Amino acid sequence: MTASRFLARWANADAARPAQLAAFSQLSLNRAVFERVLQNDISTARAPESGAAALNGPMRRLRNLIVCTLIERDLSGKADLAEVVRTMSEFADFAVQTHLAALMQELTALYGMPIGEESGSEQEMIVLGMGKLGGGELNVSSDIDLIFVYPEDGDTRADQPGQRSLSNHEFFIRLGKKLIAALSEITADGFTFRVDMALRPNGGSGPLVASHNMVEEYLIRQGREWERYAWTKARALTGKDSDIAALEAISRPFIYRRYLDFGSIDALRSMHAQIRAEVKRQESLHPERSNNVKLGRGGIREIEFTSQVFQLIRGGRDPELRDRSTRVTLRTLADKNLLEPDVVAQLLEAYTFLRNLEHRLQYLEDAQTHTLPVNDSDQLIVAQMIGYPDVAALLAELERHRRIVAGQFDTIFSDKQGGNNTDDRADSEGDGAVCELNDGESADSIADTLTLLGYDDVEGATQRVLATLQSPRLQSLPEASRTRLMTLINAALPIIGAMPDKRLPTLRRLLDFFEAIARRAAYLALLTEYPHALTRLIRMMAASDWAAQYLTQHPILLDELLDDRNLKAPPDWPAFAQDCQRQLDTAPGDTERQMDILREVHHAQLFRLLAQDLEGDLSVEHLADHLSALADILVAATIQAVWQTVANRHRDVPQFTVIAYGKLGGKELGYVSDLDVVFLYDDDDQEAPGLYAKLAQRFITWMTSHTPAGTLFDIDIALRPDGASGLLVSSFATFEKYQRTSAWVWEHQALTRARYCAGDTGIGNRFEALREDLLRQERDPQKLTQEVLGMRMKMHQAHPNPSTLFDLKHDDGGMIDIEFLVQFLVLRYASQYQQLTGDIGNIALLKLCGSLALIDAALADEVANAYRLFRKLQHQIRLRGEERARTPIERVQKETDSVKRLWLEVFGG
């Protein structure tokens, strides 16, 4: 007890207290214990006060007992940091709720119940706990930051004799003042909590209480960036659930933006600079108080800022980042790979150390202090309380943790526009070249700069830069955004100038992109704060015009450029499916949000694959496999989500299946491929046809609609039974009958590339069995040949090629010819060779036919290699942004000759 003078004074003031403390220290402190001890004290105290005032003394005595118990348990090793902050937070909740209930009863007896003028319902005051109280991480000697809110204006209903009606506003002001007094007035028993109301709208100059409408108007019109930071901790301690939900609906859009808000970094940087300036001023006036573990360099506040900046940036899109606890948020950052797990472990260790040290500083005198004591003896007491033999050892450990925290803080918050980011730019600027253009630069000045930077087409590049600088869009930007945009242009020009080729096309793509995002300050902030992301962006735009267009359409994907680990990691499809479902589960019943979530996860994963593709890490075949797996997962997730929107659904899981055809069925999907699908169901319920038709219609709408997040996939349903004149969905029995008795040969050709995609696996298995049976039917070779050649002729006529270039897909000797060859061979010989029914892709099927001696094996290998080359060239041409996959015939002459030879071998002249 000698370590804490406060505890010693408290224990020595009453001979019964040491025994009381010993007994209390064995309990698990919670609300039930608080209630019991408080009531026992009230019943035995014989206090002169009555009503709500009778709580004041017992509540203060309970507070002192709790604090002393926590001191004893903490210093004896029985309690950890989590127990200390949880207990203090729970007691603060209890004290506020208990006092408010008693005071509300007193005031309604005098003035009547407050009634909302719009709803006509009874009104209750919402007390918001802010700061560490809101986060459930309250200090033992901390004040509590509160905000008082009530739902509606109106008047109290004075319907009893002697009652006097007040406006709701005046009623709640009186209630708030009485609550503050009940908690904070110093009496012979001390105080319960100091109360700080400075975080309310308009601070000390604003009214003590605010209605929902007042809060909303204030946050929209006057809310500042630092208030967003403060409101991340806001937690309602009292009030009706419906009123609390309404208030959160008001505050959430203010705190958390719908987009990724990288502008938060600069806002928190400025806020931190102001805090540090004030701390330095205080330290210069009082050098002996230089070790501030909360606000000093590498202190608690820097850990909180590190945690909260991610919340402000990403919390609007990821509800899991909205937790009010610093410790929980840090662990979430590690789980989401937003911070390295070992960095988070170091920050959590530092946070625990600094908070434990802060508590020991406060244990001395129950004072709200965050600095090491001035005199040597108290410093030694503090050092020994935290487990160090002397002050030097404590200071060494303090410095170690501060260095780690400060280093991580600087990694995030160093000013990238201020020239202090040489490490970030070291690999970005060609040969250390510096560019300092401004938005009023002349053409001659721009040309001189570009010449020095190594541009070859200086005139073309100058005109393109000048067009951006003089564009009305740039001129109309706010000054902060214009400054950021110029910073980015000046950073990009040397990087592009250092490239070996394609400088002008890359410059054009990048400036087009800049102009497209110029009004989105968050994206400018991202590229400014993370210069390495700008370098990666330029590299991708240089490699692919299609990639540049894709990024321009979906600039939110810039976020993916920040972390090489995510960008280059091979896909983990089970984990992706789980994450997709988890995100959908955060927005139940919100169709618009769920549609956006599906698009966001699709675009992000596709972009990662694109980045790996452009780096040469994926073959065309592996890329197609991944894109097909991605589509399968999104189809499955969409079916599940859409079914929940069918109001009169008769079962939890639909007996409904999506069958994939075409490129999706053959797992040869490209970046912008349609999904060819057929919908099947097997359900005897009389409402099933209508319900599953509704499911299919909504599925198509969810997939194809253009939302703020873009589109998902185009859907082609032309391959369903009877095509455009057929039903949208078919029962399995109807589908089977159609395929066995009415299907055209071309429809069985399509079956060679069909497979189960998503939905009921039982129906999927039955489809696979039916497919194999159909493909293994005996067929008339002559009739089959005529049908296949006839269909090929129709396709050829539908896609004329007037150019001198070779169309990789449609011209003779191209990809369609190869696909028709494979389909013919499967339909012709699968009755004899069951292995030909496998959905293994055209290349593998060609080689299989060669190994079975159905075609010349060497020629089969040549055509398989030709198909691989055609797909690769088609992919490269599409990445260049060209609409048609055409190339000089000389590039593929050998391959087309091989295809034509095989065509002659199979079909004759």
Side-chain angles (χ1 to χ4, degrees):
M1 291 188 186
T2 55
S4 169
R5 291 191 285 270
F6 168 74
L7 191 155
R9 287 194 301 272
W10 178 85
N12 292 335
D14 188 328
R17 285 180 177 175
Q20 183 186 22
L21 177 62
F24 211 60
S25 297
Q26 304 306 312
L27 299 177
S28 175
L29 300 185
N30 54 44
R31 187 184 185 93
V33 173
F34 304 155
E35 183 72 42
R36 177 167 52 80
V37 173
L38 183 70
Q39 291 304 320
N40 287 342
D41 193 342
I42 292 172
S43 63
T44 59
R46 296 184 182 179
E49 302 93 343
S50 61
L55 289 170
N56 294 350
M59 191 69 78
R60 283 156 173 73
R61 291 190 287 273
L62 175 58
R63 182 263 180 193
N64 292 335
L65 176 59
I66 290 170
V67 169
C68 289
T69 300
L70 290 175
I71 293 173
E72 193 282 328
R73 285 182 60 79
D74 190 0
L75 296 185
S76 64
K78 297 174 186 174
D80 59 7
L81 175 65
E83 178 183 323
V84 173
V85 298
R86 182 188 66 249
T87 302
M88 286 306 303
S89 300
E90 289 179 355
F91 173 63
D93 289 3
F94 171 77
V96 169
Q97 293 159 2
T98 304
H99 278 300
L100 185 66
L103 291 166
M104 183 71 173
Q105 187 174 1
E106 279 194 354
L107 263 66
T108 53
L110 291 172
Y111 306 112
M113 178 64 70
I115 303 297
E117 62 184 0
E118 294 182 10
S119 68
S121 61
E122 296 182 351
Q123 305 287 290
E124 295 180 12
M125 188 162 79
I126 300 171
V127 178
L128 293 176
M130 309 293 283
K132 287 187 170 64
L133 172 58
E137 296 172 331
L138 198 61
N139 282 329
V140 286
S141 300
S142 177
D143 59 6
I144 55 175
D145 296 290
L146 303 178
I147 294 177
F148 300 151
V149 181
Y150 63 96
E152 294 179 54
D153 284 317
D155 299 293
T156 64
R157 184 171 55 209
D159 53 5
Q160 297 296 320
Q163 288 183 336
R164 178 166 63 90
S165 179
L166 296 176
S167 70
N168 288 354
H169 187 69
E170 178 60 28
F171 178 91
F172 286 117
I173 285 178
R174 295 189 182 200
L175 180 60
K177 287 180 177 178
K178 286 182 175 291
L179 177 60
I180 293 170
L183 291 167
S184 63
E185 281 185 355
I186 298 175
T187 71
D189 295 301
F191 58 89
T192 303
F193 285 102
R194 307 174 193 87
V195 176
D196 190 333
M197 299 295 297
L199 294 177
R200 69 186 188 270
N202 286 308
S205 63
L208 187 66
V209 298
S211 68
H212 280 188
N213 286 342
M214 292 168 66
V215 171
E216 182 172 26
E217 183 173 357
Y218 174 81
L219 294 181
I220 290 173
R221 295 178 180 274
Q222 300 180 55
R224 290 155 290 183
E225 284 294 326
W226 70 262
E227 287 174 296
R228 290 180 60 206
Y229 164 85
W231 275 76
T232 61
K233 299 286 190 183
R235 177 172 62 89
L237 313 184
T238 67
K240 297 178 183 177
D241 290 343
S242 58
D243 293 336
I244 294 169
L247 179 59
E248 288 179 346
I250 291 169
S251 64
R252 190 180 302 117
F254 168 70
I255 306 166
Y256 300 112
R257 307 297 196 237
R258 288 179 64 89
Y259 51 85
L260 293 171
D261 186 12
F262 286 90
S264 302
I265 297 176
D266 192 44
L268 285 181
R269 180 191 295 127
S270 300
M271 183 172 154
H272 177 264
Q274 293 172 14
I275 294 171
R276 287 291 301 132
E278 176 60 21
V279 171
K280 286 183 177 179
R281 189 181 73 82
Q282 292 292 333
E283 288 176 348
S284 66
L285 295 174
H286 307 282
E288 71 280 3
R289 301 178 189 171
S290 59
N291 277 312
N292 189 315
V293 300
K294 178 181 179 180
L295 301 178
R297 188 75 170 110
I300 295 166
R301 183 54 51 84
E302 290 193 356
I303 300 176
E304 292 171 342
F305 272 33
T306 298
S307 163
Q308 285 182 280
V309 72
F310 285 97
Q311 292 184 295
L312 294 178
I313 291 171
R314 300 173 183 276
R317 306 184 70 81
D318 190 345
E320 291 182 358
L321 284 170
R322 297 176 192 167
D323 197 280
R324 299 175 181 91
S325 163
T326 297
R327 292 165 298 156
V328 171
T329 299
L330 285 171
R331 294 186 185 103
T332 302
L333 294 176
D335 292 342
K336 293 179 176 294
N337 280 324
L338 294 172
L339 279 178
E340 292 276 6
D342 60 335
V343 169
V344 169
Q346 290 178 326
L347 290 175
L348 286 170
E349 182 187 2
Y351 185 79
T352 300
F353 173 84
L354 292 168
R355 290 296 304 273
N356 280 332
L357 177 56
E358 182 182 43
H359 282 157
R360 281 145 182 80
L361 299 175
Q362 297 174 355
Y363 289 165
L364 278 175
E365 296 285 359
D366 186 27
Q368 188 184 6
T369 182
H370 312 286
T371 59
L372 263 62
V374 175
N375 66 74
D376 295 342
S377 60
D378 281 355
Q379 289 183 5
L380 181 59
I381 291 172
V382 170
Q384 291 173 344
M385 274 199 284
I386 203 168
Y388 294 94
D390 52 46
V391 176
L394 168 63
L395 293 177
E397 186 66 1
L398 174 61
E399 179 58 27
R400 183 179 75 84
H401 286 297
R402 279 177 155 179
R403 206 163 39 242
I404 291 169
V405 173
Q408 183 57 38
F409 182 88
D410 287 346
T411 298
I412 296 172
F413 288 97
S414 61
D415 188 352
K416 315 302 189 300
Q417 286 181 263
N420 298 323
N421 55 320
T422 53
D423 290 342
D424 284 328
R425 293 182 187 264
D427 63 347
S428 302
E429 299 179 352
D431 300 323
V434 176
C435 183
E436 296 180 346
L437 298 178
N438 60 62
D439 56 1
E441 212 73 50
S442 67
D444 289 344
S445 177
I446 295 170
D448 291 344
T449 298
L450 295 179
T451 301
L452 290 173
L453 293 175
Y455 283 74
D456 39 15
D457 187 352
V458 173
E459 183 179 353
T462 298
Q463 291 306 311
R464 185 61 193 83
V465 172
L466 199 61
T468 294
L469 298 187
Q470 294 178 349
S471 68
R473 178 167 294 187
L474 186 142
Q475 295 300 322
S476 64
L477 289 177
E479 183 178 353
S481 293
R482 197 161 62 247
T483 299
R484 277 182 174 148
L485 184 56
M486 287 309 306
T487 298
L488 292 174
I489 292 173
N490 283 320
L493 289 175
I495 301 172
I496 297 173
M499 290 167 48
D501 54 17
K502 297 189 289 188
R503 297 183 188 93
L504 185 55
T506 303
L507 177 64
R508 285 172 173 159
R509 294 166 191 168
L510 184 68
L511 293 179
D512 287 346
F513 176 75
F514 281 167
E515 289 181 17
I517 68 167
R519 295 189 184 279
R520 300 297 296 272
Y523 297 137
L524 299 177
L526 183 155
L527 292 170
T528 305
E529 297 290 349
Y530 298 95
H532 64 276
L534 176 63
T535 304
R536 290 176 184 149
L537 171 67
I538 293 170
R539 194 162 63 234
M540 290 189 76
M541 291 193 162
S544 167
D545 184 55
W546 186 85
Q549 293 175 33
Y550 192 73
L551 266 169
T552 302
Q553 292 169 359
H554 308 292
I556 193 173
L557 296 174
L558 287 173
D559 178 48
E560 297 294 326
L561 296 173
L562 301 184
D563 190 346
D564 267 345
R565 294 171 302 167
N566 288 337
L567 202 60
K568 295 182 178 180
D572 181 342
W573 293 121
F576 173 82
Q578 290 176 1
D579 182 62
C580 179
Q581 190 57 54
R582 179 187 56 77
Q583 292 196 47
L584 288 170
D585 290 342
T586 65
D590 188 343
T591 295
E592 182 180 345
R593 180 64 195 131
Q594 287 190 326
M595 289 172 70
D596 280 347
I597 287 170
L598 290 165
R599 284 150 177 75
E600 288 160 8
V601 298
H602 174 237
H603 296 155
Q605 186 58 62
L606 186 146
F607 184 72
R608 292 175 202 136
L609 293 171
L610 173 62
Q612 294 172 27
D613 179 17
L614 294 177
E615 292 290 333
D617 296 336
L618 292 175
S619 67
V620 175
E621 291 80 10
H622 281 128
L623 174 64
D625 286 343
H626 286 318
L627 290 173
S628 301
L630 174 59
D632 285 355
I633 291 168
L634 293 172
V635 169
T638 303
I639 289 294
Q640 183 173 334
V642 171
W643 184 242
Q644 302 307 309
T645 71
V646 179
N648 55 340
R649 61 188 183 278
H650 61 299
R651 59 175 72 250
D652 292 334
V653 179
Q655 292 182 337
F656 177 92
T657 293
V658 180
I659 303 300
Y661 280 74
K663 289 188 176 181
L664 178 59
K667 297 184 179 179
E668 295 181 351
L669 213 60
Y671 288 124
V672 292
S673 299
D674 296 351
L675 303 188
D676 294 291
V677 296
V678 167
F679 304 117
L680 302 180
Y681 71 92
D682 188 22
D683 192 330
D684 293 333
D685 190 281
Q686 63 179 3
E687 302 297 329
L691 291 173
Y692 293 131
K694 185 178 293 185
L695 172 58
Q697 289 166 344
R698 290 187 184 177
F699 168 83
I700 294 171
T701 299
W702 277 48
M703 283 278 170
T704 60
S705 294
H706 195 284
T707 78
T711 57
L712 201 53
F713 293 101
D714 284 331
I715 301 295
D716 191 332
I717 53 173
L719 292 172
R720 68 190 188 275
D722 290 317
S725 62
L727 296 173
L728 182 60
V729 297
S730 301
S731 69
F732 187 84
T734 302
F735 179 80
E736 180 175 9
K737 181 180 179 181
Y738 176 85
Q739 290 292 341
R740 291 192 185 280
T741 62
S742 305
W744 297 84
V745 169
W746 67 264
E747 290 177 287
H748 284 182
Q749 284 181 248
L751 275 178
T752 64
R753 305 178 74 190
R755 63 179 177 85
Y756 163 78
C757 174
D760 186 279
T761 55
I763 303 173
N765 291 334
R766 291 175 64 191
F767 167 80
E768 296 292 353
L770 173 63
R771 171 184 173 276
E772 181 176 331
D773 190 44
L774 292 168
L775 294 181
R776 298 199 67 191
Q777 288 179 352
E778 291 278 358
R779 302 176 193 272
D780 181 326
Q782 185 175 359
K783 185 177 179 182
L784 177 63
T785 299
Q786 290 174 351
E787 292 279 358
V788 171
L789 290 177
M791 179 54 65
R792 179 66 187 102
M793 181 60 68
K794 288 182 180 178
M795 290 190 66
H796 202 292
Q797 292 170 348
H799 296 88
N801 177 11
S803 76
T804 59
L805 298 175
F806 177 75
D807 191 305
L808 290 165
K809 184 174 182 180
H810 294 290
D811 281 355
D812 290 340
M815 295 172 71
I816 295 291
D817 276 0
I818 298 172
E819 290 166 3
F820 267 66
L821 281 165
V822 171
Q823 291 162 12
F824 173 83
L825 291 168
V826 171
L827 296 179
R828 172 70 178 82
Y829 294 108
S831 59
Q832 304 170 48
Y833 303 100
Q834 182 271 340
Q835 59 266 50
L836 286 173
T837 63
D839 185 22
I840 57 177
N842 290 311
I843 291 173
L845 283 169
L846 278 168
K847 293 189 175 186
L848 177 59
C849 289
S851 68
L852 294 172
L854 304 178
I855 55 177
D856 180 81
L859 188 55
D861 284 344
E862 289 179 21
V863 174
N865 290 333
Y867 192 71
R868 182 179 287 113
L869 175 64
F870 292 164
R871 286 184 64 192
K872 182 177 180 180
L873 291 174
Q874 181 189 52
H875 183 64
Q876 291 172 349
I877 291 168
R878 293 274 163 79
L879 284 177
R880 293 202 297 266
E882 298 176 26
E883 186 177 346
R884 300 184 184 277
R886 292 174 177 169
T887 191
I889 184 62
E890 296 80 15
R891 176 69 180 83
V892 291
Q893 187 70 65
K894 183 179 74 170
E895 288 76 18
T896 59
D897 288 346
S898 297
V899 176
K900 290 174 181 177
R901 287 205 314 274
L902 182 59
W903 187 273
L904 286 173
E905 179 183 317
V906 173
F907 293 115

